[in-house]
């Protein structure tokens, strides 16, 4: 199988107060420009752009950056699963000749711009399921992601005995990792289990500290073919395999025969199968951590443990640096910043380049990155040095 | 009727039918004429057998709490004065699940498996929402 590579990464500063002071577009352009520059490319060589859904158009990225040879422009509409799903599409694009160098930008003013409270209530089209949510969810106050997913977490607790302290172990691991990342918004703000348990209930069983941050920031990566990657300055990170999938039905979260079968349930075996690898081969995982339970559930559906065993899997430091499977060494959406999952790809690349100093996973050769979006859309990539 | 400030369904297409029945005090779901499968939310055709024919069929109104959440902080301004409030997914005898609330149970007392029965709350002159009440005894 032909491989594609990630050859450039870029990030902005991540922050909350007082805000980035930049427009949503400018934030993404800064990250994109850094990724292109790091790869040793000129903007005119970027001939593919895959913007994050609803956060920008390829046309405006191209016009600002000077991509005068744009050939391939596409957006994967899978919410937070989009960046990793875009890796899959970008790999296919560069290997089929549709484009030579594809830019994946993401970023927003999630703190200083429109917050979740505003976007959901003002624009029903921003909700997966659109009019279904409007007619059957919103009248009952089922209006936002922590509420949608909390009912899955509650059911998991009922069926498998998963406990709050196990969700807390995930929050604590992310926070611990953020202490080693000076760009993390929660750097310098450690958390204890007592502090976690004392945080207010947002959508039972989700406490405040089960929920991702709202932050300003941007990140971007550049993908090209293995052949072209050889001519560039940076050490390429190989996309061994990538896959995406959707739950069924994907537009309605309550009427699934198997409530825990999400997009990743389909995508993960496909990705591992293509690569000829298995979960136990993996050195680290960057798991889309919009909420703690989604990490637990994705660990199960990827196959790091059996379904129902996620609670005990995340305990005892297993997902912390130095543990069996370090997860989100940057601190993730929970404790670094909410950069829409693009930051998870960036961190995976940095791990595989071996440039992360005190948060480096020793001898990291193979990593998993996942995405989770909308009502459980999923994506996964296996990356290797 | 006092002014109602929470979000309302839009009475168009299948939702007009579904909520029209609710206004008459009936919980009806689409049931496929081809294979007999019940479905919710309303769809254009049967995903089980492909039939485009269906009948709005009366539900027994009985079900049990499949899962739930208790919202402590509103993430939609209209619900700021409603917290804490519970949202339940009710699994009906017919197999379909309905997102709603159990009206006469304190949020802290909800339990998965709790038997419930549908009722209707007229929130405006036009719209009645299907809600649930605990079945006791
Ligand atoms: Zn049918």
């Amino acid at each position: 199988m032909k491989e594609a590579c990630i050859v450039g990464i870029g990030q902005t500063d991540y922050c909350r107060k007082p805000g980035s002071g930049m427009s949503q577009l400018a934030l993404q352009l800064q990250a994109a420009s850094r990724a292109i520059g790091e790869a040793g490319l000129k903007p005119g060589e970027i001939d593919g752009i895959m913007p994050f859904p609803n956060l920008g158009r390829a046309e405006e990225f191209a016009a600002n950056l000077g991509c005068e040879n744009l050939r391939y422009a596409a957006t994967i509409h899978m919410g937070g699963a989009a960046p990793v799903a875009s890796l899959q599409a970008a790999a296919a694009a560069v290997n089929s000749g549709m484009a030579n160098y594809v830019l994946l930008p993401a970023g927003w003013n999630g703190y200083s711009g429109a917050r979740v409270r505003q976007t959901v209530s003002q624009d029903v089209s921003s909700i997966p399921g659109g009019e279904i949510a409007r007619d059957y969810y919103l009248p009952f106050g089922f209006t936002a992601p922590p509420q949608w997913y909390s009912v899955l977490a509650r059911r998991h607790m009922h069926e498998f005995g998963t406990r709050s302290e196990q969700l807390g172990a995930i929050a604590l691991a992310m926070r611990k990792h953020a202490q080693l990342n000076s760009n993390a918004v929660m750097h310098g703000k450690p958390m204890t289990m007592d502090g976690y348990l004392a945080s207010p209930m947002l959508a039972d069983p989700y406490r405040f500290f089960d929920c991702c941050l709202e932050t300003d920031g941007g990140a971007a990566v550049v993908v090209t073919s293995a052949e072209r990657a050889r001519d560039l300055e940076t050490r390429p990170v190989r996309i061994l395999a990538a896959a995406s999938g959707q739950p069924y039905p994907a537009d309605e979260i309550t009427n699934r025969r198997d409530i825990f079968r999400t997009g990743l349930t389909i995508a993960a075996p496909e990705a591992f199968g293509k690569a000829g690898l298995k979960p136990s081969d993996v050195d680290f995982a960057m798991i889309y951590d919009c909420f703690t339970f989604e990490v637990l559930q994705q660990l199960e559906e990827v196959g790091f443990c059996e379904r129902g065993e996620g609670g005990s899997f995340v305990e005892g430091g297993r997902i912390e640096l130095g543990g069996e499977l370090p997860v989100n060494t940057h601190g993730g959406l929970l404790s670094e910043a909410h950069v829409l999952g693009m930051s998870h790809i960036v961190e995976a690349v940095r791990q595989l380049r071996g440039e992360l100093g005190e948060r480096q996973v020793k001898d990291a050769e193979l990593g998993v990155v996942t995405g989770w979006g909308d009502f459980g859309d999923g994506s996964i990539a296996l990356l290797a040095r | 009727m006092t002014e109602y400030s929470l979000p309302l369904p839009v009475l168009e297409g299948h939702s007009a039918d579904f909520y029209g029945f609710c206004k008459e005090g009936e919980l009806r779901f689409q049931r496929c004429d081809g294979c007999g499968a019940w479905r919710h939310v309303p769809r254009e055709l049967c995903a089980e057998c492909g039939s485009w024919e269906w009948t709005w069929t009366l539900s027994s109104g009985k079900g049990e709490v499949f899962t739930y959440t208790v919202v402590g902080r509103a993430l939609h301004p209209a619900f700021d004065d409603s917290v804490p409030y519970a949202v339940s997914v009710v699994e009906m005898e017919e197999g379909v699940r309905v997102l709603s609330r159990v009206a006469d149970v304190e949020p802290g007392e909800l339990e998965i498996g709790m038997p419930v029965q549908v009722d209707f709350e007229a929130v405006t002159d036009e719209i009645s929402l299907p809600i649930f009440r605990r079945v006791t005894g």
Side-chain angles (χ1 to χ4, degrees), chain B residues 32 35 46 48-49:
Chain B
C32 176
C35 71
C46 178
E48 301 293 325
C49 77

Side-chain angles (χ1 to χ4, degrees), chain B residues 25-123:
Chain B
E26 293 180 347
L27 182 63
R28 286 179 183 265
F29 300 112
Q30 289 178 325
R31 188 173 190 197
C32 176
D33 290 349
C35 71
W38 294 79
R39 61 182 190 253
H40 184 68
V41 296
R43 304 284 184 184
E44 299 299 331
L45 71 161
C46 178
E48 301 293 325
C49 77
S51 171
W52 291 76
E53 308 300 320
W54 77 82
T55 304
W56 284 105
T57 308
L58 192 64
S59 162
S60 72
K62 293 187 174 70
E64 59 177 51
V65 175
F66 178 77
T67 184
Y68 65 91
T69 184
V70 179
V71 177
R73 182 187 160 203
L75 289 171
H76 185 306
F79 288 92
D80 281 346
D81 297 331
S82 304
V83 291
Y85 66 91
V87 179
S88 292
V89 176
V90 175
E91 187 166 270
M92 306 302 300
E93 281 185 340
E94 294 83 11
V96 299
R97 300 190 193 123
V98 183
L99 187 110
S100 180
R101 64 169 170 267
V102 182
D104 55 356
V105 174
E106 289 298 314
E109 286 169 20
L110 269 174
E111 278 176 22
I112 290 177
M114 179 180 281
V116 293
Q117 168 77 41
V118 76
D119 195 3
F120 299 90
E121 186 176 315
V123 295

Side-chain angles (χ1 to χ4, degrees), chain B residues 118-129:
Chain B
V118 76
D119 195 3
F120 299 90
E121 186 176 315
V123 295
T124 70
D125 290 340
E126 304 289 311
I127 294 172
S128 292
L129 297 178

Side-chain angles (χ1 to χ4, degrees), chain A residues 3-8 91 94-95 222-227 229 236-239:
Chain A
E3 278 171 13
C5 295
I6 301 170
V7 292
V94 297
N95 281 330
V222 175
V223 174
T224 192
S225 64
E227 297 78 35
V237 162
R238 297 179 296 146
I239 303 168

